[in-house]
Amino acid sequence: MADPSETQQFVDHPQQQQQQQQQQQQSRLLEILNEPSQWLKMLCRELNTSFVLGVVLVYGLSQGFSGSLFKVVSDYYWKDVQKVQPSQVQLFIGFYYLPWIMKPLWGLMTDVFPIKGYRRRPYFVFAGAVGFISSLTVAAHDGISAVWALVCLVGVTGGMAIADVTIDACIAKNSIEMQSLAPDLQTLCGVCSSVGALVGYSTSGFFVHHLGAQGALGVLALPPAAIVVLGFVIYELRTNKRQYEKKASMEKVWEAVNGMYKTIKCPGVWKPSLYMYFSLALSISTHEGQFYWYTDPKAGPAFSQEFVGMIYAIGALASIVGVLIYQKFLKNCSFRNLLFFAQLLYATSGMLDLIFVLRWNLKLGIPDYFFVVMEECVSRIVSKIRWTPMIVLSTKLCPLGIEGTFFALLMCIDSLGSLSSKWAGGMALHALHVTRTDFRNLWLVLFIRNALRLATVSLIFLIPRADSSDVLIPPNLLLNSSKNVAAEEEGLQLTSVNEKKGEEERLDI
């Protein structure tokens, strides 16, 4: 006969195991929830708290939140306050890219021309002051002319660009000094930018609805004010450069310029750079025409301000999905094959806009709200799959020694392509008489845009057949200059790969 105590132990044993499993699951959940805070504490401990704060403010608040809020609010400002035609807005928006095209110049200034012995802190203050004054000026003055409004809005983007270059230089320096933390810095930048963009897009409609388009521009003064404060609190060692050291810095700049010229002459560099420019420029932007149509109560679906912001927020989430798809399934494909099929898919997905404008979705029984969300998600995912390999290819084209500066140059070429896209789209809208109230030919502009996207496939021969593991330029291309430049501190490291997230959001990718 069995002992009752032994029988009770057998009964209690499964219950104890179940309790232990529950406790383990709870402890794992707590560890997962605690990981982000522990990770941030580690970064603060290893890199300095003020630097981590700077990354959060620039990438999260300035680029992420302010950049996404700026995109929506400025669209409503031109439409409802200035009451200009969509073709004009396209031309105006092209000027937003000018400060970003000048990024190498801003970077060289922070490296070569310190102020009071500091190379970063004064430029944070300057960037914040430019953005703060520009935002308040356009928000506080009723009846301001379109020209001065454009100057102020370019000032807002200029503040973002200068702050971006300055924090990128700090990131490059820390990535060089502590290479083991470089991936963590990329992750921090990406997370901050994504979270900031989600918050900015989600709240943009609320601000426009309750403050008006002009009043909502005043909210854009808050991030620059934080950047000004950052300039006073971020940790930076003061330099004591003598005259001969300044002369040496200018010589380094000249070496970098010569190195960039020598590199861009290589067929393996200028051909893919040319493709990246045309892939952006030929995809003419029709954003403003579509935005005016989205919000029109007669010809369009008359989406509310809150819903427009929510569309962009959902699109930001879809962009993350596109990155994950590339990382999981496509990162080992050859550049030419991947970009060929991605460009085909990009042209095909553009037909969804055409279907929407022609209202064929209603004939198919698909409501506008559902269709536009589906279209935005597909467009963002495809755009990210198309754009990410081009960014990876750009990093492979950068020679050792001036990789930061040359990457900034490639990003300038991309910004120039986006500027061309905006202006070409504005001219197409004007030529086909797409106005604030007349959208009869908007479908034709979209059809031309999709045809140009398809035509870009014919330029795929400019892309190398290599994949991400291959070497695309000779390692000794700038052997002499790289020995000099690489030996210096972060100097000419004007930008780093983490810039790609900010670039993607800014170029509406």
Side-chain angles (χ1 to χ4, degrees):
M1 184 175 182
D3 190 346
S5 61
E6 293 181 357
T7 304
Q8 185 65 32
Q9 288 179 358
F10 283 116
V11 173
D12 293 341
H13 185 64
Q15 295 178 350
Q16 291 176 354
Q17 283 186 333
Q18 188 175 5
Q19 291 177 353
Q20 290 177 354
Q21 290 177 352
Q22 291 177 351
Q23 291 175 355
Q24 290 177 353
Q25 291 176 352
Q26 292 176 354
S27 62
R28 289 175 183 172
L29 180 61
L30 291 174
E31 288 178 1
I32 293 174
L33 294 176
N34 198 35
E35 276 182 7
S37 62
Q38 294 297 326
W39 179 62
L40 285 175
K41 289 179 181 178
M42 181 273 293
L43 291 177
C44 292
R45 183 175 62 253
E46 297 292 335
L47 298 172
N48 190 282
T49 303
S50 64
F51 166 72
V52 176
L53 176 64
V55 175
V56 173
L57 289 180
V58 174
Y59 271 88
L61 190 60
S62 179
Q63 286 192 30
F65 173 78
S66 185
S68 57
L69 182 65
F70 177 83
K71 178 182 176 181
V72 178
V73 173
S74 62
D75 280 344
Y76 276 104
Y77 176 77
W78 291 119
K79 176 179 178 289
D80 296 337
V81 179
Q82 293 291 343
K83 299 185 183 302
V84 297
Q85 299 295 341
S87 57
Q88 290 179 284
V89 180
Q90 290 273 165
L91 297 177
F92 291 163
I93 290 178
F95 287 100
Y96 296 170
Y97 292 95
L98 293 181
W100 295 93
I101 292 174
M102 298 171 64
K103 282 187 69 173
L105 175 61
W106 310 134
L108 288 173
M109 289 178 63
T110 64
D111 285 330
V112 180
F113 300 106
I115 300 175
K116 299 294 184 180
Y118 294 104
R119 294 188 296 172
R120 312 302 179 205
R121 299 176 72 174
Y123 289 96
F124 279 125
V125 175
F126 176 72
V130 169
F132 182 80
I133 294 172
S134 300
S135 300
L136 285 187
T137 301
V138 71
H141 289 77
D142 293 328
I144 188 173
S145 67
V147 174
W148 281 109
L150 177 61
V151 171
C152 292
L153 294 180
V154 171
V156 174
T157 61
M160 293 180 191
I162 296 172
D164 172 74
V165 168
T166 309
I167 198 65
D168 278 345
C170 299
I171 292 170
K173 178 179 182 295
N174 283 304
S175 297
I176 293 170
E177 292 180 349
M178 304 188 70
Q179 297 185 17
S180 61
L181 292 179
D184 295 276
L185 288 177
Q186 310 297 332
T187 303
L188 178 64
C189 295
V191 169
C192 291
S193 181
S194 298
V195 173
L198 284 174
V199 175
Y201 282 133
S202 301
T203 58
S204 59
F206 172 83
F207 286 126
V208 173
H209 181 76
H210 292 280
L211 300 178
Q214 187 168 0
L217 287 173
V219 180
L220 293 173
L222 298 178
I227 299 300
V228 172
V229 175
L230 174 66
F232 289 100
V233 301
I234 192 168
Y235 176 76
E236 181 186 5
L237 291 174
R238 190 171 184 174
T239 60
N240 295 309
K241 279 196 171 184
R242 297 185 176 91
Q243 190 64 32
Y244 72 88
E245 292 176 321
K246 293 181 180 180
K247 185 177 180 181
S249 296
M250 293 303 297
E251 289 177 355
K252 287 193 298 177
V253 172
W254 185 245
E255 286 181 2
V257 172
N258 285 334
M260 287 191 290
Y261 175 71
K262 186 176 180 180
T263 302
I264 203 67
K265 288 195 305 180
C266 293
V269 176
W270 69 260
K271 286 183 177 181
S273 300
L274 188 64
Y275 175 85
M276 286 186 277
Y277 168 78
F278 279 117
S279 69
L280 290 169
L282 290 179
S283 179
I284 60 174
S285 175
T286 58
H287 171 75
E288 296 307 318
Q290 290 176 265
F291 173 77
Y292 276 55
W293 180 78
Y294 282 163
T295 56
D296 189 84
K298 296 180 179 179
F303 290 144
S304 66
Q305 295 154 342
E306 291 85 353
F307 186 72
V308 169
M310 195 56 60
I311 292 172
Y312 291 132
I314 295 172
L317 287 174
S319 295
I320 299 175
V321 175
V323 173
L324 294 177
I325 292 174
Y326 172 81
Q327 182 69 21
K328 185 71 175 177
F329 304 106
L330 304 174
K331 65 179 181 179
N332 294 323
C333 297
S334 71
F335 290 118
R336 181 178 293 188
N337 291 338
L338 179 56
L339 289 175
F340 174 80
F341 289 106
Q343 189 66 31
L344 280 178
L345 193 59
Y346 188 52
T348 304
S349 64
M351 298 302 293
L352 292 175
D353 289 327
L354 193 60
I355 293 173
F356 191 35
V357 168
L358 293 173
R359 312 314 303 271
W360 290 351
N361 62 297
L362 296 179
K363 295 179 181 179
L364 297 172
I366 305 175
D368 288 336
Y369 288 88
F370 178 81
F371 190 86
V372 73
V373 170
M374 179 190 69
E375 183 272 330
E376 180 72 9
C377 290
V378 172
S379 176
R380 289 297 190 98
I381 291 173
V382 172
S383 295
K384 196 65 69 172
I385 293 173
R386 166 180 165 269
W387 177 251
T388 305
M390 287 199 284
I391 287 292
V392 176
L393 178 58
S394 296
T395 63
K396 305 290 291 183
L397 302 179
C398 300
L400 182 64
I402 59 167
E403 57 270 25
T405 308
F406 197 78
F407 189 80
L409 175 65
L410 293 177
M411 291 300 100
C412 288
I413 294 173
D414 292 342
S415 295
L416 188 61
S418 296
L419 184 148
S420 303
S421 170
K422 289 290 184 182
W423 284 355
M427 288 186 285
L429 291 171
H430 179 74
L432 294 173
H433 308 290
V434 177
T435 66
R436 294 172 52 85
T437 56
D438 187 357
F439 304 97
R440 287 175 297 177
N441 290 330
L442 180 58
W443 72 271
L444 184 56
V445 180
L446 290 171
F447 181 81
I448 294 172
R449 181 202 67 181
N450 294 336
L452 290 173
R453 287 181 178 181
L454 188 61
T456 306
V457 175
S458 63
L459 301 175
I460 199 66
F461 67 92
L462 296 171
I463 298 296
R465 296 183 182 274
D467 57 35
S468 58
S469 62
D470 293 328
V471 177
L472 300 183
I473 61 174
N476 60 346
L477 179 65
L478 303 177
L479 184 60
N480 294 330
S481 61
S482 64
K483 288 181 179 178
N484 297 327
V485 179
E488 302 290 341
E489 52 185 347
E490 86 274 15
L492 295 174
Q493 300 294 331
L494 305 185
T495 182
S496 53
V497 181
N498 65 69
E499 179 185 348
K500 67 183 179 184
K501 184 66 180 178
E503 293 289 335
E504 290 161 2
E505 295 296 330
R506 183 177 55 76
L507 300 178
D508 300 336
I509 299 299

